[in-house]
């Protein structure tokens, strides 16, 4: 630790964004504004279609509606702030604003992960125990399976935020990212971050190893059950109900693993930014397409919802 580092603390951080070249800022603004608008419209349309269509009042779509709202929240935590910074030509964020952004970002990330696990459990019960599905996935159980992820995600986010508030930041306040991300921020600290990194390791292990392992086990049981279905059409129908969920899992975890498990290199900051764009911006935009284009019931519900809206408009 350099002498004199504790003479003052930073009151704001400088976000370098995705590019430091001013000529690229209008292009980035246009791209991310378009992506965000598609994310907002897509996820809200999915949620409203599920709520308004009685045919979709089932556990699978109940969880999907919450997943869509979580994706919307995840994207809204980072993208609007970045758009404002680009438009205002000001790339700073206050200390309190940075902590708030980290809190909500981690909360929505944790909620995304836990809901993916809940959705895998729902498919496990539906395919492996179809006769007991309505009994097991009762309304009370469905509510509990949403409340528990909310509590766990809150614990995950709050733990990191409270520990982050205990450490000091001195002269270095430049974050090589487009939002306040936990790892780059820990690297700027001039105090001991051992507790933060231990908690990050334990929670990271739970979210990126334990939860995916449980999902893999669930799908191993699902595949075993599908194999024993006698008809080809039955096998295809069972698999089609899982394909969208599998696509969402792969898209989320491949990009997240790119941030936390690929060894650092000279261009690790650029790699981290690209991976963060994938799981925090691109994935929430693509999920509505994944769950609607490959799902006949969802496409029909969206068409009915849009038709009703068109008839109601003057």
């Amino acid at each position: 630790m350099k002498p004199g580092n504790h003479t003052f603390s930073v009151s704001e951080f400088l976000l370098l964004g995705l590019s430091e070249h001013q000529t690229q800022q209008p292009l980035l603004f246009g791209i991310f504004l378009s992506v965000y608008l598609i994310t907002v419209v897509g996820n809200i349309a999915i949620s409203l279609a599920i709520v308004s269509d009685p045919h979709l009042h089932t556990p699978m779509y109940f969880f999907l509606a919450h997943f869509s709202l979580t994706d919307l929240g995840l994207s809204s935590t980072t993208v609007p702030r970045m758009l404002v910074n680009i438009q205002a030509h000001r790339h700073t964020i206050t200390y309190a604003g940075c902590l708030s952004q980290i809190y909500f970002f981690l909360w929505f990330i944790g909620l995304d992960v836990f809901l993916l696990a809940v959705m895998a459990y729902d498919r496990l019960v539906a395919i492996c125990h179809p006769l007991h599905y309505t009994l097991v996935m009762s309304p009370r159980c469905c509510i509990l399976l949403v409340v528990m992820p909310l509590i766990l995600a809150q614990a995950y986010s709050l733990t990191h935020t409270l520990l982050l508030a205990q450490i000091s930041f001195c002269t270095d306040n430049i974050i090589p990212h487009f939002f306040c991300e936990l790892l780059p921020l820990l690297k700027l600290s001039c105090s001991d971050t051992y507790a933060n990194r231990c908690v990050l390791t334990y929670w990271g292990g739970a979210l990126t190893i334990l939860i995916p392992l449980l999902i893999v086990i669930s799908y191993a049981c699902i595949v075993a059950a599908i194999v024993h279905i006698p008809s080809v059409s039955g096998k295809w129908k069972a698999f089609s109900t899982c394909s969208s969920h599998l696509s969402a899992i792969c898209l989320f975890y491949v990009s997240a693993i790119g941030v936390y498990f690929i060894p650092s290199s000279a261009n690790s900051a650029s790699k981290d930014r690209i991976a963060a764009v994938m799981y925090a911006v691109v994935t929430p935009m693509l999920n509505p397409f994944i769950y609607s284009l490959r799902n006949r019931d969802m496409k029909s519900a969206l068409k009915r919802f849009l038709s009703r809206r068109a008839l109601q408009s003057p």
Side-chain angles (χ1 to χ4, degrees):
M1 188 181 300
K2 295 179 181 179
N5 271 356
H6 285 290
T7 55
F8 62 92
S9 297
V10 297
S11 59
E12 62 181 17
F13 296 96
L14 176 64
L15 299 170
L16 294 184
L18 292 173
S19 173
E20 298 178 49
H21 301 289
Q22 290 301 317
T23 55
Q24 297 178 355
Q25 299 306 308
L27 177 63
L28 288 173
F29 181 85
I31 291 173
F32 280 88
L33 177 60
S34 301
V35 168
Y36 183 65
L37 290 176
I38 293 171
T39 302
V40 171
V41 172
N43 283 290
I44 289 179
I46 291 283
S47 300
L48 291 178
I50 292 172
V51 170
S52 63
D53 197 318
H55 297 92
L56 301 185
H57 291 177
T58 63
M60 182 176 77
Y61 293 107
F62 175 74
F63 299 134
L64 177 57
H66 286 84
F67 186 70
S68 294
L69 293 176
T70 302
D71 274 346
L72 177 60
L74 177 60
S75 184
S76 298
T77 303
T78 58
V79 178
R81 177 76 197 200
M82 182 181 67
L83 294 175
V84 170
N85 287 346
I86 292 175
Q87 191 68 14
H89 303 287
R90 179 178 173 83
H91 296 275
T92 57
I93 184 171
T94 63
Y95 174 80
C98 193
L99 286 184
S100 298
Q101 191 176 58
I102 284 180
Y103 169 79
F104 285 107
F105 178 77
L106 292 178
W107 190 67
F108 285 118
I109 281 287
L111 193 54
D112 246 355
V113 171
F114 292 126
L115 283 176
L116 285 172
V118 167
M119 293 163 80
Y121 174 71
D122 172 68
R123 292 299 84 208
L124 172 68
V125 177
I127 294 174
C128 297
H129 307 284
L131 298 179
H132 300 93
Y133 181 69
T134 54
L135 180 64
V136 174
M137 302 302 292
S138 62
R140 182 179 179 180
C141 179
C142 290
I143 292 172
L144 183 63
L145 287 174
V146 169
V147 171
M148 285 304 296
L150 286 169
I151 295 172
L152 290 172
Q154 170 82 356
Y156 167 64
S157 176
L158 193 59
T159 302
H160 279 304
T161 307
L162 290 177
L163 284 174
L164 197 59
Q166 304 303 313
I167 63 178
S168 302
F169 299 93
C170 303
T171 55
D172 192 2
N173 70 332
I174 300 175
I175 301 176
H177 222 298
F178 66 96
F179 68 96
C180 283
E181 215 269 347
L182 186 59
L183 284 176
L185 205 58
L186 289 179
K187 293 177 183 178
L188 296 181
S189 175
C190 56
S191 58
D192 185 15
T193 59
Y194 176 76
N196 302 73
R197 294 184 182 278
C198 284
V199 171
L200 182 63
T201 300
Y202 295 139
W203 271 110
L207 268 63
T208 59
I209 297 176
L210 180 59
I211 297 296
L213 181 61
L214 293 175
I215 293 174
V216 168
I217 292 172
S218 297
Y219 272 100
C221 296
I222 289 171
V223 170
I226 291 176
V227 169
H228 290 91
I229 296 176
S231 66
V232 175
S233 61
K235 290 179 180 179
W236 175 250
K237 184 178 180 181
F239 176 76
S240 64
T241 63
C242 304
S243 59
S244 299
H245 183 242
L246 279 172
S247 300
I249 291 170
C250 293
L251 189 62
F252 179 85
Y253 274 106
V254 166
S255 54
I257 287 171
V259 172
Y260 295 105
F261 287 93
I262 295 178
S264 298
S265 59
N267 63 341
S268 61
S270 299
K271 177 263 296 181
D272 290 349
R273 286 196 291 262
I274 293 170
V277 167
M278 285 300 299
Y279 73 79
V281 180
V282 176
T283 299
M285 178 192 71
L286 292 180
N287 279 338
F289 296 100
I290 291 173
Y291 279 98
S292 61
L293 296 179
R294 305 184 67 177
N295 187 310
R296 186 183 303 171
D297 293 335
M298 194 71 245
K299 283 192 288 187
S300 300
L302 282 170
K303 288 178 181 177
R304 288 192 292 269
F305 173 73
L306 294 175
S307 298
R308 287 195 297 270
R309 296 297 298 173
L311 291 173
Q312 291 172 3
S313 60

